Every structure is written in structure tokens, then in C-alpha cells.
Amino acid sequence: MKITERSKARRGHTRSGGLGKLGRGVAIALMTGIAPLALHASIDREASYEPVSPTVDQARANILIARQLQFTHFRDLSIDDSLSSEVFDAYLDYLDGQRVYLTQQDLERFEPLRYGLGAALKTGRLQPGFDIYNTVQQRVIERLEFALDLVNQGIDKLDFDRDESLLLDRSEASWVANQQELDELWRKRIKNAVLAQRLSDKSDEDIEKSLKRRYESQLNRSRQARSEDAFQAYMNAFAGMWDPHTSYFSPRTSENFNINMSLSLEGIGAVLQGDNEYTKVVRLVPGGPASKQGQLQPADRIVSVTQEDEDTPVNVIGWRLDEVVDLIRGPRNSVVTLEVIPASASDDSMTRTIAIKRDQVKLEEQSASSEVIQLQRDGNNYRIGVLTIPTFYADFRAMQKGDPNYKSTTRDVRQLIDELEDDGIDGLVVDLRNNGGGALHEANDLVGLFIDEGPTVQIRNANNDVQVLTDQDPTVSYDGPMVVMVNRMSASASEIFAGAIQDYGRGLVVGSQTFGKGTVQAVRPLNHGQLKITQSKFYRVSGGSTQHKGVVPDIEIPSRVDFSRIGEDALDHALPWDQIEAVPHTRYFDFSGIIDQLRKNHDERFATDPEFQLLQQEIDFLTEQRAQDYVSLNADVRAVELQQIEDTRLRIANARREIQGESTFETLEELEDWQTAQAADPDGQEDELDFILREGGHIMADMLELDRRLASIGAMETIAAQAN
């Protein structure tokens, strides 16, 4: 599908129900102070909420942001009527992404602002955005009060014998027509929440306490809205028109930027971001507590946080990101328990609790490591070296001090390669799965360990100036056959390395399509907060960008990850893939003569390997769950559906244990108890060679066999030609 430079309109540009343009005269009039009266005319004043107003500093920052976006961002966009309309949709999506607070009547009141927001944003007139924010906050309060009233009436009055259902994902749905329809939607949402907890064997008394605690917590937060909350939401909806990595940081967020973006200092080691009402896990920090514990996953959404010395969980739905971060951080060796909606959950009411011991993420725990795997095939023994690189790191502080022994990815890998070659390896597998990137110069230097010299990556800025990073060191640490393993969480610097190895023909890339993060951001100070802005874009030496498309493996291995939710191409307004001129580079090996046979061998192993068969069953199961649009609110139907899900999970888990020679579990509860016990002691778990990595070794062995066969055939053909 072709993606234009304007970028596709926000999902559902016609979400407002096809309302027509009402003319600029109305919009301009609303910018002059009439809007607040019009927008708030129907607000129920009994609900206590004090509308927030913009400040002079925010208005100045708005003007600076608009200028930076127009004149320094990589994408060239004009703030015109079309963009104004997209900002309007994006802002409403930001504030009510699931269409559960606003009605079509509210949208009709907002509609005159659609084509006036752009002009207002260029000149620092923030009141229209604040008017929308205040109305949404008021609607949130009204909904939460409705929910509390319904729960207080007694959940025993809810009828679970009726054949009703609830749409799970309303992000593409239309807003309901009026308050009566919204009441009906929320009645179903509460029924769903109650039913989910009943099926988890919770008593009605506990369910009522839980729901009251959740709604009261959200209600208190909504009533405490600050001017900065509205400004940050509005600016992020505006900045997000250029690309999803351009965003505004409030002064509070800017003060703790590094901590807020990566909870690596006495935390859990996770990168978090706001996702409508939720805080979502973006990725796990390699070597961090959450990564080692193994249960928290990217795209999980955090519902509540419980401290070690407290029994009552704190519901964090609707909380600000920085406040959730502060709650999760804590003293080293203390335990924090997160209640999350798993990324694989088919229903937001399905949650699990994960206890993680806080710790510091040490550089040595993110370091590259190596091992040798031995494969017996048709009487031949292959020794395959494996390099695992969790991130591209460098001890910048030690470098600045002039320490000759400072740690870095390239220095560590060079030493590990020497050790592996001393062990007599036949080939090398470089494992970059879940490597989210890191230091760009380390990716450049690492490529240099495998090529004589030459370009490694191209960087193009907004002025179309192209900088080419090169390896100028002619020495090669390893010149043997290579396989590079990647997956959806391999991003940025990982994609630069994998793309270069692929372009040079130095090795095969195996796994799943990578993330597609091919842009570079800079953080620029404002008079009020900071702006993180995309300023350049990565391109491979072959000319294609790593942006949006990522690196497509030569041999693909299916993944459990939902590509529609994780990856650059899953983000709204992501910069498109494109290409520039290639730069001269050597092609070390042409795999075209053997790639079909390599894929055939892989497919045959996939068809007979029980672990691959289980992987495919898991993928099919998850795909089926994700495709479920509605959930039943009938207790009997829901119980049957839940039992089927639990039976499938238990069957797959037991099948895997049988393959590993372990005893099976009688019930899902036994399985979950065992998983919890394992996760509580990540350091005590034995490292096992995962079958995906083992397959990388088999592909390497295939390469060695086919390469020798081809060489032999070539030699015979040469001899025959000379004889004739």
C-alpha cells in the first residue's frame, strides 16, 4: 500500500459520523472566547471539576513547538486545514481512544473547531484545545460516577443470563449517539468486569471492593487534572502528526527524562509509555529485573501496582506516566507487584499479577556473551559459535576518562570471537533478538569486525544531506560464515547491523521482520519543557531505509508477537519506507544459489520438529484470540469459552514439558504456581538452549554443507572444461 508524505489520516477521519465543514467563520469566532460557553453548556455542575486554563509559558512553548515542527523536522508538513483536521481527530483519539466517554452530541459541539485548530496552534492560542480537554475530563468524571452508582446498587442485580455481548476494541467504532446509549455501554462494561472476576473465583464482596477502589482512584485522578496535563496531551497530539517519536515533555517529565523513559535505576528495567488510560510496556531493558524474571512482556498494560509492605493494590488506570514510574521505582531488593493486562489477552478484563524484585541494571549484565553449541548431523559434528548481544553499549564515562580497558560491544565481541575461534568453531550465529539498539557508533564498529572496510549506514537529514558512516579499519576479526538472528523487538542499531551484514552478503539474516525504527531523534529545550523531535533517517548501504519496513529476514521464523500492535508499521503517522542511492560496497557471497535449498531444509525441520509445531499451535491460538471482536456477557457461554482457553494453554504447556522430559501439570493452577515460583528466582533457573537459536545453528550447518557441495561441483565443472 502506498504511503503518502502527508501520511494517512488518523484512523477514522470520518469518525465524527460524516459531519460536514461548518465554515471558517464559526471556527474563528470560537477561537475568540465564545467556545467555552458553547462547549460547557451541557455540563453537569454537580460533578466537582475545576476546568484548567493555559498559561503564558505554555502559549510561548506552543509557538516554539510549531516552529520547530515546521522548519526542523525530517517530515515537511504545513499547518493547514488538512493538518488541523487530523490534529482534531488525533486529539480526540488521544483523550478518548476507546470511544467510551464522549457521545456524538459532544462531537457536534466540537466540530466547529476542526479546521481552526491549526491556525490557533501556530499562534499559541491554546484555549480551544483546553476546552475540549475540560469537556472530556467532565465526561470521564460523569462516567466514573455512573459506574460507582451502578456498583453501589449491588452487582447481584446484574443479569448474566441474557445473551448480550460487548465489543472489545472500540478504537474503530463510532461514538454512541447520546448519554442513554453511553449508559448502556457502561452497564455492559461493568458486567464484563464483574463476570471476569467471578470466573476467577472472586466473591461478589471482593469484586465490589475491587471495582469501587478502581473507579474511585480514577475519579480522584480526574478531579485533580492540571493545566500541564491538558497542555501535554494537546501538544503530543499535535506533534504526533509528524511522526510517533516526536513528542513534548513537560518540565516535570524533562527533569527525570532518563528515568521516565527507562526504569533502570533501582526499578524493574522496563521502558514505559502512556497508552490512552493505561501505562504500556514498550520493551524490557536487557539484563534488568523484569527481563530476567521473564513474565512481563512488551505491550502488556499496567492496571495496578502493589508495594511489598502493602496488601492493597493501587489502581493506576488514568494516572500520569511520571506518577506510575515513581510508584514502580523503589529501593533495591524490594518487591513490586504489577497487575497487567497481557498483550495476548483477548479481553481487557483478563489480568495477571507479576511480582518483580527491584534492582539496578548493571552494564556487565547487558554485556555480550558467547557459547558453543554442537550439532550431530548425518555422522558429522558441527561446532557453532553463538554471540548473544542484548544491546549496543559503551561505557562513555570510562571512555571520557581515557580508560584503555573501557567496556563496549565491539571490544567485548572482538575478544569473544578470538575465544570462539580458539575453540575451533565451524560457523558463527550472532543473536540480536530483543536487542532494541543503543550506541550508533558501536553498530558501525561491530560491522567492521566482519568486513575489510567500507560504508555501514547512511544518515539523511531534513535538508537531504547524507552522511555515510564507514569502517576504516581493514582488519577483520572473523571472516567465516555467519547467521544473524533477529525478531520483532530487534530495532535501531540492531537493524543497522543486520541490514549491513545482509547487504554485504556476509551472512544470512534469520528470524522475523524487525521493528522498523529507522529514525533519529534529538531533545531540544523550550522555555517550558522539551521537544523530542525526529531530525534524520537511517538508510542501508544498498539505499533502502530501515524505517517502517525494518530488515526482512532471508529465512523467516514465525513469531508469537502481534505485528499489528508492536512495530513501527503499527504506529500512526510513522515515516514511510523509502530509498536513496546505494553507496559502493563489496558483496562477499551470493546466497541466491543455495537460499531455496536452505529454506526447504528449514521448512522440513519445521514440519517435523515438535517444538516448532507447538510454536505454530501457540501462534494459531493467539491469532484466534486476537481476532475475537466481541466477548459474551452470558455467564454460561463465557465459562465455556474460558475453559476452552485454559485447556488450550495447559495442553500446549504440558506438551512442551513432555518434549523436555519434565512431568506435566494436572491443572492450570499448578502450571501458574510453578511459573510464579520460577519467576521469583530468575538467577536460579537453568539456561536452556532455545529451539529458535538451535535452528539458527542448523541453518548454519546447512550453509556449510551446501557451500562445500557447490564448491565441489564447481571444481569438477572446471576440470571437465579443461579436459575438453
Side-chain angles (χ1 to χ4, degrees):
M1 182 175 67
K2 183 178 180 182
I3 300 177
T4 63
E5 183 59 20
R6 162 62 74 185
S7 83
K8 63 188 179 203
R10 198 74 172 179
R11 292 171 308 185
H13 179 71
T14 59
R15 276 178 177 167
S16 56
L19 295 172
K21 298 181 182 179
L22 298 186
R24 283 198 184 194
V26 179
I28 292 173
L30 288 171
M31 300 298 175
T32 61
I34 301 173
L37 294 176
L39 292 179
H40 294 301
S42 65
I43 286 178
D44 177 8
R45 293 298 181 182
E46 291 181 1
S48 55
Y49 172 70
E50 188 66 33
V52 295
S53 301
T55 68
V56 173
D57 284 343
Q58 290 168 348
R60 290 173 179 166
N62 171 203
I63 294 172
L64 291 173
I65 290 169
R67 289 175 180 171
Q68 296 256 21
L69 292 173
Q70 287 184 96
F71 303 119
T72 66
H73 195 281
F74 185 87
R75 172 177 260 157
D76 182 17
L77 289 183
S78 298
I79 304 178
D80 53 17
D81 282 359
S82 178
L83 185 88
S84 177
S85 178
E86 290 185 36
V87 172
F88 178 86
D89 288 326
Y91 189 36
L92 292 176
D93 194 36
Y94 195 98
L95 297 174
D96 188 14
Q98 286 295 310
R99 281 81 180 112
V100 294
Y101 297 118
L102 297 173
T103 67
Q104 193 65 40
Q105 292 175 344
D106 291 316
L107 263 69
E108 289 169 359
R109 297 187 189 97
F110 294 155
E111 186 64 22
L113 299 177
R114 176 181 291 276
Y115 295 98
L117 292 183
L121 284 163
K122 284 197 288 189
T123 55
R125 288 177 288 158
L126 294 169
Q127 193 60 52
F130 274 66
D131 288 335
I132 292 174
Y133 180 86
N134 284 327
T135 301
V136 174
Q137 285 300 109
Q138 183 62 50
R139 296 294 179 258
V140 170
I141 290 171
E142 291 169 1
R143 287 298 99 206
L144 294 172
E145 289 180 335
F146 173 85
L148 278 170
D149 286 344
L150 197 60
V151 173
N152 286 330
Q153 291 171 21
I155 61 175
D156 59 311
K157 294 182 174 61
L158 297 172
D159 182 2
F160 292 98
D161 294 326
R162 295 169 61 182
D163 289 328
E164 293 184 313
S165 61
L166 177 70
L167 179 63
L168 291 170
D169 181 7
R170 291 186 50 81
S171 61
E172 299 290 346
S174 299
W175 275 277
V176 299
N178 49 47
Q179 183 172 318
Q180 288 71 32
E181 290 188 15
L182 203 56
D183 288 347
E184 178 65 8
L185 171 61
W186 273 78
R187 182 187 64 80
K188 290 184 176 182
R189 283 166 59 87
I190 293 167
K191 277 187 66 174
N192 184 47
V194 172
L195 183 54
Q197 293 193 52
R198 277 186 176 176
L199 292 172
S200 297
D201 295 326
K202 292 186 179 179
S203 68
D204 280 5
E205 182 181 0
D206 287 341
I207 295 172
E208 287 189 8
K209 287 181 180 178
S210 173
L211 292 178
K212 286 179 183 178
R213 188 163 55 238
R214 176 193 304 180
Y215 296 135
E216 286 170 355
S217 173
Q218 290 180 252
L219 191 57
N220 290 334
R221 288 284 154 183
S222 298
R223 286 171 173 162
Q224 295 169 12
R226 305 172 304 186
S227 174
E228 196 59 40
D229 299 332
F231 183 65
Q232 183 160 294
Y234 195 26
M235 288 304 99
N236 278 326
F238 178 42
M241 293 295 98
W242 275 258
D243 87 304
H245 303 291
T246 294
S247 57
Y248 167 74
F249 296 151
S250 68
R252 169 77 169 88
T253 305
S254 300
E255 288 174 7
N256 297 297
F257 173 68
N258 290 330
I259 295 176
N260 284 340
M261 299 308 290
S262 176
L263 306 180
S264 58
L265 300 176
E266 296 186 343
I268 63 171
V271 178
L272 307 177
Q273 72 177 28
D275 182 27
N276 289 316
E277 297 176 300
Y278 293 98
T279 297
K280 183 174 72 174
V281 178
V282 179
R283 65 180 177 86
L284 305 180
V285 177
S291 176
K292 292 165 68 176
Q293 196 261 13
Q295 290 184 301
L296 193 67
Q297 297 296 320
D300 286 355
R301 289 170 291 165
I302 301 172
V303 173
S304 69
V305 180
T306 308
Q307 306 300 338
E308 185 175 37
D309 55 350
E310 298 177 2
D311 295 327
T312 304
V314 177
N315 186 281
V316 295
I317 298 175
W319 280 37
R320 307 174 187 99
L321 176 61
D322 56 352
E323 292 176 332
V324 178
V325 168
D326 289 342
L327 199 62
I328 294 176
R329 292 180 65 215
R332 184 180 179 185
N333 293 326
S334 61
V335 175
V336 62
T337 300
L338 307 180
E339 180 188 6
V340 304
I341 300 170
S344 59
S346 59
D347 178 3
D348 283 1
S349 63
M350 298 174 63
T351 65
R352 67 179 303 185
T353 57
I354 301 172
I356 303 173
K357 182 182 288 187
R358 299 179 177 105
D359 201 352
Q360 291 182 328
V361 181
K362 302 180 181 67
L363 183 60
E364 56 267 25
E365 292 178 334
Q366 301 183 56
S367 298
S369 60
S370 66
E371 62 180 314
V372 176
I373 60 176
Q374 299 192 45
L375 300 175
Q376 297 284 342
R377 293 167 40 122
D378 299 327
N380 295 319
N381 181 37
Y382 293 95
R383 294 176 59 79
I384 310 298
V386 176
L387 283 172
T388 301
I389 305 175
T391 185
F392 287 87
Y393 55 89
D395 189 343
F396 293 107
R397 188 172 299 176
M399 290 172 60
Q400 292 170 353
K401 290 180 179 179
D403 183 350
N405 298 313
Y406 72 88
K407 285 185 67 64
S408 76
T409 302
T410 307
R411 292 165 66 97
D412 291 349
V413 167
R414 183 184 290 114
Q415 180 178 338
L416 292 171
I417 287 174
D418 291 342
E419 295 171 357
L420 288 171
E421 292 208 293
D422 288 342
D423 283 342
I425 62 171
D426 298 306
L428 182 66
V429 174
V430 179
D431 188 0
L432 295 180
R433 291 174 299 166
N434 302 318
N435 183 321
L440 174 61
H441 72 87
E442 286 299 320
N444 174 71
D445 292 347
L446 191 67
V447 174
L449 298 184
F450 304 98
I451 64 172
D452 294 325
E453 54 185 331
T456 59
V457 65
Q458 304 184 75
I459 306 171
R460 179 164 72 101
N461 65 21
N463 296 322
N464 289 322
D465 297 325
V466 178
Q467 175 190 8
V468 181
L469 298 188
T470 62
D471 165 48
Q472 299 178 348
D473 184 354
T475 61
V476 177
S477 294
Y478 178 77
D479 61 2
M482 291 176 60
V483 164
V484 178
M485 304 289 296
V486 296
N487 64 8
R488 190 62 162 180
M489 300 310 298
S490 303
S492 195
S494 293
E495 297 173 294
I496 291 171
F497 177 84
I501 294 299
Q502 194 176 54
D503 288 342
Y504 273 94
R506 271 298 287 115
L508 283 180
V509 177
V510 174
S512 54
Q513 184 181 11
T514 60
F515 192 93
K517 171 67 165 62
T519 56
V520 184
Q521 287 73 41
V523 178
R524 297 178 180 171
L526 304 166
N527 68 301
H528 185 79
Q530 294 176 310
L531 179 67
K532 179 163 69 79
I533 188 169
T534 298
Q535 60 181 13
S536 51
K537 198 171 180 181
F538 291 131
Y539 294 83
R540 295 163 57 155
V541 296
S542 57
S545 176
T546 57
Q547 168 62 20
H548 205 277
K549 184 188 292 186
V551 177
V552 178
D554 300 295
I555 297 178
E556 294 201 38
I557 295 178
S559 171
R560 299 180 184 90
V561 173
D562 183 358
F563 280 29
S564 69
R565 297 181 63 182
I566 298 177
E568 190 77 7
D569 54 2
L571 302 175
D572 288 327
H573 299 284
L575 292 178
W577 179 89
D578 64 343
Q579 60 185 23
I580 58 177
E581 288 187 11
V583 289
H585 59 281
T586 303
R587 183 77 180 175
Y588 287 87
F589 188 81
D590 182 5
F591 292 96
S592 61
I594 63 172
I595 189 63
D596 288 342
Q597 186 62 46
L598 290 173
R599 289 172 179 153
K600 181 174 182 292
N601 292 354
H602 162 70
D603 290 341
E604 288 175 352
R605 279 191 298 271
F606 189 98
T608 57
D609 189 308
E611 289 196 88
F612 274 112
Q613 292 173 354
L614 275 179
L615 172 63
Q616 190 60 58
Q617 288 180 37
E618 283 185 275
I619 293 171
D620 293 342
F621 170 64
L622 291 171
T623 301
E624 182 181 344
Q625 293 300 302
R626 292 163 185 156
Q628 184 177 350
D629 294 327
Y630 288 85
V631 62
S632 174
L633 300 180
N634 179 285
D636 293 336
V637 173
R638 186 72 162 272
V640 171
E641 292 175 347
L642 180 61
Q643 189 62 53
Q644 291 174 341
I645 292 172
E646 292 182 347
D647 289 346
T648 303
R649 286 179 56 197
L650 183 61
R651 177 178 55 78
I652 292 174
N654 278 337
R656 179 157 290 121
R657 286 181 66 80
E658 287 177 349
I659 292 172
Q660 296 168 348
E662 303 285 346
S663 60
T664 58
F665 298 104
E666 292 292 330
T667 65
L668 186 65
E669 288 74 18
E670 286 184 27
L671 169 63
E672 291 177 340
D673 290 343
W674 177 82
Q675 290 174 332
T676 300
Q678 290 289 104
D681 185 23
D683 294 327
Q685 298 178 24
E686 294 185 7
D687 292 330
E688 294 184 358
L689 181 66
D690 68 81
F691 65 95
I692 300 293
L693 188 58
R694 186 178 67 239
E695 175 62 12
H698 278 295
I699 291 172
M700 170 58 65
D702 287 342
M703 287 171 57
L704 293 169
E705 292 173 358
L706 289 169
D707 190 28
R708 289 168 186 162
R709 228 173 283 165
L710 288 172
S712 174
I713 292 171
M716 290 193 315
E717 288 175 346
T718 301
I719 293 172
Q722 291 173 345
N724 293 329

